[in-house]
mmCIF file of all heavy atoms in Angstrom:
data_model
loop_
_atom_site.group_PDB
_atom_site.id
_atom_site.type_symbol
_atom_site.label_atom_id
_atom_site.label_comp_id
_atom_site.label_asym_id
_atom_site.label_seq_id
_atom_site.Cartn_x
_atom_site.Cartn_y
_atom_site.Cartn_z
ATOM 1 N N ASN A 111 -7.672 -21.165 -5.007
ATOM 2 C CA ASN A 111 -8.804 -21.649 -4.214
ATOM 3 C C ASN A 111 -9.849 -20.557 -4.005
ATOM 4 O O ASN A 111 -11.049 -20.818 -4.052
ATOM 5 C CB ASN A 111 -8.334 -22.188 -2.864
ATOM 6 C CG ASN A 111 -7.688 -23.542 -2.972
ATOM 7 O OD1 ASN A 111 -7.925 -24.281 -3.931
ATOM 8 N ND2 ASN A 111 -6.846 -23.882 -2.014
ATOM 9 N N ILE A 112 -9.398 -19.337 -3.773
ATOM 10 C CA ILE A 112 -10.341 -18.223 -3.616
ATOM 11 C C ILE A 112 -11.136 -18.030 -4.900
ATOM 12 O O ILE A 112 -12.364 -17.928 -4.888
ATOM 13 C CB ILE A 112 -9.603 -16.930 -3.217
ATOM 14 C CG1 ILE A 112 -9.069 -17.047 -1.787
ATOM 15 C CG2 ILE A 112 -10.513 -15.709 -3.368
ATOM 16 C CD1 ILE A 112 -8.107 -15.940 -1.386
ATOM 17 N N LEU A 113 -10.434 -17.974 -6.033
ATOM 18 C CA LEU A 113 -11.112 -17.759 -7.316
ATOM 19 C C LEU A 113 -12.060 -18.904 -7.670
ATOM 20 O O LEU A 113 -13.110 -18.692 -8.279
ATOM 21 C CB LEU A 113 -10.082 -17.559 -8.428
ATOM 22 C CG LEU A 113 -9.259 -16.273 -8.333
ATOM 23 C CD1 LEU A 113 -8.147 -16.268 -9.374
ATOM 24 C CD2 LEU A 113 -10.140 -15.048 -8.475
ATOM 25 N N HIS A 114 -11.703 -20.105 -7.269
ATOM 26 C CA HIS A 114 -12.545 -21.268 -7.551
ATOM 27 C C HIS A 114 -13.764 -21.307 -6.632
ATOM 28 O O HIS A 114 -14.844 -21.728 -7.040
ATOM 29 C CB HIS A 114 -11.728 -22.555 -7.394
ATOM 30 C CG HIS A 114 -12.525 -23.795 -7.583
ATOM 31 N ND1 HIS A 114 -12.940 -24.231 -8.823
ATOM 32 C CD2 HIS A 114 -13.023 -24.689 -6.688
ATOM 33 C CE1 HIS A 114 -13.642 -25.334 -8.668
ATOM 34 N NE2 HIS A 114 -13.704 -25.637 -7.393
ATOM 35 N N THR A 115 -13.612 -20.851 -5.396
ATOM 36 C CA THR A 115 -14.643 -20.991 -4.377
ATOM 37 C C THR A 115 -15.637 -19.847 -4.339
ATOM 38 O O THR A 115 -16.819 -20.057 -4.094
ATOM 39 C CB THR A 115 -13.977 -21.129 -2.981
ATOM 40 O OG1 THR A 115 -13.039 -22.203 -3.029
ATOM 41 C CG2 THR A 115 -15.001 -21.402 -1.905
ATOM 42 N N ILE A 116 -15.183 -18.633 -4.577
ATOM 43 C CA ILE A 116 -16.042 -17.460 -4.424
ATOM 44 C C ILE A 116 -16.431 -16.932 -5.800
ATOM 45 O O ILE A 116 -15.579 -16.562 -6.595
ATOM 46 C CB ILE A 116 -15.330 -16.361 -3.611
ATOM 47 C CG1 ILE A 116 -14.974 -16.899 -2.227
ATOM 48 C CG2 ILE A 116 -16.211 -15.114 -3.509
ATOM 49 C CD1 ILE A 116 -14.131 -15.960 -1.396
ATOM 50 N N PRO A 117 -17.731 -16.888 -6.073
ATOM 51 C CA PRO A 117 -18.152 -16.374 -7.376
ATOM 52 C C PRO A 117 -17.843 -14.885 -7.502
ATOM 53 O O PRO A 117 -17.917 -14.147 -6.526
ATOM 54 C CB PRO A 117 -19.657 -16.624 -7.401
ATOM 55 C CG PRO A 117 -20.062 -16.773 -5.987
ATOM 56 C CD PRO A 117 -18.844 -17.238 -5.233
ATOM 57 N N VAL A 118 -17.489 -14.469 -8.684
ATOM 58 C CA VAL A 118 -17.205 -13.053 -8.927
ATOM 59 C C VAL A 118 -18.023 -12.583 -10.123
ATOM 60 O O VAL A 118 -18.479 -13.382 -10.922
ATOM 61 C CB VAL A 118 -15.700 -12.795 -9.173
ATOM 62 C CG1 VAL A 118 -14.887 -13.129 -7.956
ATOM 63 C CG2 VAL A 118 -15.191 -13.572 -10.372
ATOM 64 N N GLY A 119 -18.170 -11.271 -10.219
ATOM 65 C CA GLY A 119 -18.928 -10.714 -11.329
ATOM 66 C C GLY A 119 -20.359 -11.191 -11.286
ATOM 67 O O GLY A 119 -21.012 -11.113 -10.256
ATOM 68 N N PHE A 120 -20.832 -11.724 -12.391
ATOM 69 C CA PHE A 120 -22.224 -12.144 -12.461
ATOM 70 C C PHE A 120 -22.378 -13.654 -12.333
ATOM 71 O O PHE A 120 -23.458 -14.181 -12.578
ATOM 72 C CB PHE A 120 -22.872 -11.618 -13.735
ATOM 73 C CG PHE A 120 -23.041 -10.128 -13.701
ATOM 74 C CD1 PHE A 120 -22.166 -9.295 -14.373
ATOM 75 C CD2 PHE A 120 -24.047 -9.547 -12.938
ATOM 76 C CE1 PHE A 120 -22.308 -7.921 -14.323
ATOM 77 C CE2 PHE A 120 -24.189 -8.176 -12.874
ATOM 78 C CZ PHE A 120 -23.318 -7.358 -13.565
ATOM 79 N N SER A 121 -21.308 -14.373 -11.965
ATOM 80 C CA SER A 121 -21.459 -15.805 -11.721
ATOM 81 C C SER A 121 -21.971 -15.998 -10.296
ATOM 82 O O SER A 121 -21.734 -15.168 -9.425
ATOM 83 C CB SER A 121 -20.135 -16.541 -11.933
ATOM 84 O OG SER A 121 -19.195 -16.166 -10.966
ATOM 85 N N HIS A 122 -22.698 -17.070 -10.082
ATOM 86 C CA HIS A 122 -23.298 -17.332 -8.777
ATOM 87 C C HIS A 122 -23.232 -18.821 -8.472
ATOM 88 O O HIS A 122 -23.030 -19.638 -9.358
ATOM 89 C CB HIS A 122 -24.768 -16.888 -8.765
ATOM 90 C CG HIS A 122 -24.934 -15.430 -9.010
ATOM 91 N ND1 HIS A 122 -25.117 -14.913 -10.265
ATOM 92 C CD2 HIS A 122 -24.933 -14.376 -8.166
ATOM 93 C CE1 HIS A 122 -25.231 -13.598 -10.193
ATOM 94 N NE2 HIS A 122 -25.110 -13.245 -8.935
ATOM 95 N N TYR A 123 -23.445 -19.156 -7.196
ATOM 96 C CA TYR A 123 -23.555 -20.552 -6.797
ATOM 97 C C TYR A 123 -24.852 -21.132 -7.366
ATOM 98 O O TYR A 123 -25.836 -20.418 -7.543
ATOM 99 C CB TYR A 123 -23.603 -20.691 -5.281
ATOM 100 C CG TYR A 123 -22.309 -20.371 -4.576
ATOM 101 C CD1 TYR A 123 -22.190 -19.224 -3.816
ATOM 102 C CD2 TYR A 123 -21.227 -21.236 -4.660
ATOM 103 C CE1 TYR A 123 -21.008 -18.929 -3.150
ATOM 104 C CE2 TYR A 123 -20.043 -20.946 -3.995
ATOM 105 C CZ TYR A 123 -19.945 -19.801 -3.247
ATOM 106 O OH TYR A 123 -18.780 -19.522 -2.589
ATOM 107 N N GLY A 124 -24.881 -22.443 -7.572
ATOM 108 C CA GLY A 124 -26.096 -23.116 -8.023
ATOM 109 C C GLY A 124 -27.101 -23.295 -6.904
ATOM 110 O O GLY A 124 -28.303 -23.408 -7.138
ATOM 111 N N LYS A 125 -26.609 -23.333 -5.664
ATOM 112 C CA LYS A 125 -27.487 -23.502 -4.499
ATOM 113 C C LYS A 125 -27.228 -22.360 -3.525
ATOM 114 O O LYS A 125 -26.107 -21.849 -3.450
ATOM 115 C CB LYS A 125 -27.182 -24.827 -3.788
ATOM 116 C CG LYS A 125 -27.510 -26.059 -4.606
ATOM 117 C CD LYS A 125 -27.358 -27.313 -3.777
ATOM 118 C CE LYS A 125 -26.033 -27.961 -4.151
ATOM 119 N NZ LYS A 125 -25.763 -29.197 -3.445
ATOM 120 N N PRO A 126 -28.231 -21.979 -2.735
ATOM 121 C CA PRO A 126 -28.021 -20.909 -1.751
ATOM 122 C C PRO A 126 -26.976 -21.317 -0.711
ATOM 123 O O PRO A 126 -26.870 -22.494 -0.363
ATOM 124 C CB PRO A 126 -29.393 -20.699 -1.123
ATOM 125 C CG PRO A 126 -30.237 -21.837 -1.550
ATOM 126 C CD PRO A 126 -29.580 -22.502 -2.721
ATOM 127 N N GLN A 127 -26.201 -20.340 -0.257
ATOM 128 C CA GLN A 127 -25.154 -20.555 0.741
ATOM 129 C C GLN A 127 -25.630 -20.035 2.107
ATOM 130 O O GLN A 127 -26.510 -19.182 2.183
ATOM 131 C CB GLN A 127 -23.880 -19.811 0.331
ATOM 132 C CG GLN A 127 -23.372 -20.170 -1.049
ATOM 133 C CD GLN A 127 -22.998 -21.631 -1.172
ATOM 134 O OE1 GLN A 127 -22.147 -22.118 -0.455
ATOM 135 N NE2 GLN A 127 -23.656 -22.346 -2.070
ATOM 136 N N ALA A 128 -25.047 -20.525 3.158
ATOM 137 C CA ALA A 128 -25.394 -20.065 4.503
ATOM 138 C C ALA A 128 -24.891 -18.630 4.702
ATOM 139 O O ALA A 128 -23.802 -18.281 4.260
ATOM 140 C CB ALA A 128 -24.758 -20.984 5.545
ATOM 141 N N SER A 129 -25.702 -17.802 5.345
ATOM 142 C CA SER A 129 -25.296 -16.430 5.636
ATOM 143 C C SER A 129 -26.090 -15.901 6.818
ATOM 144 O O SER A 129 -27.294 -15.641 6.705
ATOM 145 C CB SER A 129 -25.511 -15.514 4.435
ATOM 146 O OG SER A 129 -25.281 -14.174 4.820
ATOM 147 N N ALA A 130 -25.415 -15.717 7.939
ATOM 148 C CA ALA A 130 -26.070 -15.165 9.131
ATOM 149 C C ALA A 130 -26.561 -13.743 8.871
ATOM 150 O O ALA A 130 -27.618 -13.340 9.363
ATOM 151 C CB ALA A 130 -25.112 -15.204 10.317
ATOM 152 N N VAL A 131 -25.804 -12.975 8.093
ATOM 153 C CA VAL A 131 -26.188 -11.588 7.798
ATOM 154 C C VAL A 131 -27.485 -11.559 6.997
ATOM 155 O O VAL A 131 -28.405 -10.790 7.310
ATOM 156 C CB VAL A 131 -25.056 -10.865 7.036
ATOM 157 C CG1 VAL A 131 -25.514 -9.509 6.541
ATOM 158 C CG2 VAL A 131 -23.824 -10.729 7.921
ATOM 159 N N LEU A 132 -27.576 -12.381 5.972
ATOM 160 C CA LEU A 132 -28.802 -12.415 5.173
ATOM 161 C C LEU A 132 -29.966 -13.000 5.956
ATOM 162 O O LEU A 132 -31.109 -12.545 5.818
ATOM 163 C CB LEU A 132 -28.568 -13.180 3.870
ATOM 164 C CG LEU A 132 -27.601 -12.513 2.889
ATOM 165 C CD1 LEU A 132 -27.317 -13.421 1.704
ATOM 166 C CD2 LEU A 132 -28.137 -11.170 2.421
ATOM 167 N N ASP A 133 -29.688 -13.997 6.801
ATOM 168 C CA ASP A 133 -30.744 -14.552 7.666
ATOM 169 C C ASP A 133 -31.318 -13.461 8.571
ATOM 170 O O ASP A 133 -32.527 -13.356 8.754
ATOM 171 C CB ASP A 133 -30.208 -15.697 8.532
ATOM 172 C CG ASP A 133 -29.851 -16.934 7.720
ATOM 173 O OD1 ASP A 133 -30.274 -17.039 6.545
ATOM 174 O OD2 ASP A 133 -29.127 -17.792 8.269
ATOM 175 N N LYS A 134 -30.440 -12.641 9.129
ATOM 176 C CA LYS A 134 -30.892 -11.550 9.999
ATOM 177 C C LYS A 134 -31.731 -10.552 9.198
ATOM 178 O O LYS A 134 -32.770 -10.086 9.671
ATOM 179 C CB LYS A 134 -29.708 -10.850 10.644
ATOM 180 C CG LYS A 134 -30.128 -9.765 11.607
ATOM 181 C CD LYS A 134 -28.961 -9.164 12.349
ATOM 182 C CE LYS A 134 -29.518 -8.106 13.310
ATOM 183 N NZ LYS A 134 -28.534 -7.395 14.014
ATOM 184 N N ALA A 135 -31.294 -10.221 7.993
ATOM 185 C CA ALA A 135 -32.067 -9.303 7.152
ATOM 186 C C ALA A 135 -33.451 -9.881 6.869
ATOM 187 O O ALA A 135 -34.458 -9.161 6.930
ATOM 188 C CB ALA A 135 -31.319 -9.026 5.848
ATOM 189 N N GLN A 136 -33.526 -11.170 6.593
ATOM 190 C CA GLN A 136 -34.823 -11.818 6.344
ATOM 191 C C GLN A 136 -35.711 -11.742 7.591
ATOM 192 O O GLN A 136 -36.906 -11.502 7.481
ATOM 193 C CB GLN A 136 -34.631 -13.289 5.951
ATOM 194 C CG GLN A 136 -33.945 -13.489 4.633
ATOM 195 C CD GLN A 136 -34.890 -13.441 3.456
ATOM 196 O OE1 GLN A 136 -35.940 -12.825 3.486
ATOM 197 N NE2 GLN A 136 -34.499 -14.102 2.375
ATOM 198 N N SER A 137 -35.119 -11.941 8.771
ATOM 199 C CA SER A 137 -35.918 -11.923 10.006
ATOM 200 C C SER A 137 -36.368 -10.515 10.387
ATOM 201 O O SER A 137 -37.295 -10.355 11.160
ATOM 202 C CB SER A 137 -35.132 -12.557 11.169
ATOM 203 O OG SER A 137 -34.071 -11.706 11.565
ATOM 204 N N GLU A 138 -35.722 -9.504 9.832
ATOM 205 C CA GLU A 138 -36.074 -8.106 10.113
ATOM 206 C C GLU A 138 -36.582 -7.417 8.846
ATOM 207 O O GLU A 138 -36.388 -6.227 8.646
ATOM 208 C CB GLU A 138 -34.853 -7.354 10.646
ATOM 209 C CG GLU A 138 -34.314 -7.918 11.936
ATOM 210 C CD GLU A 138 -33.018 -7.246 12.379
ATOM 211 O OE1 GLU A 138 -32.396 -6.510 11.573
ATOM 212 O OE2 GLU A 138 -32.632 -7.465 13.530
ATOM 213 N N ILE A 139 -37.255 -8.167 7.997
ATOM 214 C CA ILE A 139 -37.641 -7.680 6.675
ATOM 215 C C ILE A 139 -38.459 -6.395 6.731
ATOM 216 O O ILE A 139 -38.377 -5.551 5.832
ATOM 217 C CB ILE A 139 -38.371 -8.787 5.876
ATOM 218 C CG1 ILE A 139 -38.291 -8.534 4.377
ATOM 219 C CG2 ILE A 139 -39.792 -8.962 6.339
ATOM 220 C CD1 ILE A 139 -36.965 -8.832 3.785
ATOM 221 N N GLU A 140 -39.221 -6.202 7.805
ATOM 222 C CA GLU A 140 -40.047 -4.990 7.913
ATOM 223 C C GLU A 140 -39.196 -3.723 7.946
ATOM 224 O O GLU A 140 -39.660 -2.655 7.574
ATOM 225 C CB GLU A 140 -40.969 -5.054 9.143
ATOM 226 C CG GLU A 140 -40.253 -5.016 10.480
ATOM 227 C CD GLU A 140 -39.628 -6.347 10.919
ATOM 228 O OE1 GLU A 140 -39.874 -7.388 10.279
ATOM 229 O OE2 GLU A 140 -38.865 -6.328 11.901
ATOM 230 N N ARG A 141 -37.938 -3.843 8.335
ATOM 231 C CA ARG A 141 -37.046 -2.679 8.349
ATOM 232 C C ARG A 141 -36.758 -2.174 6.937
ATOM 233 O O ARG A 141 -36.323 -1.048 6.753
ATOM 234 C CB ARG A 141 -35.718 -3.032 9.022
ATOM 235 C CG ARG A 141 -35.848 -3.348 10.499
ATOM 236 C CD ARG A 141 -34.524 -3.647 11.112
ATOM 237 N NE ARG A 141 -33.675 -2.451 11.040
ATOM 238 C CZ ARG A 141 -32.368 -2.457 11.257
ATOM 239 N NH1 ARG A 141 -31.765 -3.573 11.559
ATOM 240 N NH2 ARG A 141 -31.670 -1.352 11.187
ATOM 241 N N TYR A 142 -36.986 -3.013 5.959
ATOM 242 C CA TYR A 142 -36.630 -2.676 4.590
ATOM 243 C C TYR A 142 -37.831 -2.254 3.740
ATOM 244 O O TYR A 142 -37.709 -2.078 2.539
ATOM 245 C CB TYR A 142 -35.907 -3.859 3.932
ATOM 246 C CG TYR A 142 -34.696 -4.276 4.725
ATOM 247 C CD1 TYR A 142 -34.753 -5.377 5.581
ATOM 248 C CD2 TYR A 142 -33.521 -3.551 4.663
ATOM 249 C CE1 TYR A 142 -33.649 -5.741 6.338
ATOM 250 C CE2 TYR A 142 -32.421 -3.911 5.420
ATOM 251 C CZ TYR A 142 -32.495 -5.002 6.254
ATOM 252 O OH TYR A 142 -31.408 -5.360 6.999
#
Side-chain angles (χ1 to χ4, degrees):
N111 284 338
I112 290 169
L113 293 172
H114 177 75
T115 306
I116 300 173
V118 296
F120 291 101
S121 67
H122 299 92
Y123 290 109
K125 294 188 258 181
Q127 305 298 301
S129 172
V131 171
L132 293 174
D133 292 345
K134 183 174 181 184
Q136 294 275 26
S137 71
E138 299 174 347
I139 203 75
E140 67 281 351
R141 294 182 64 194
Y142 304 100

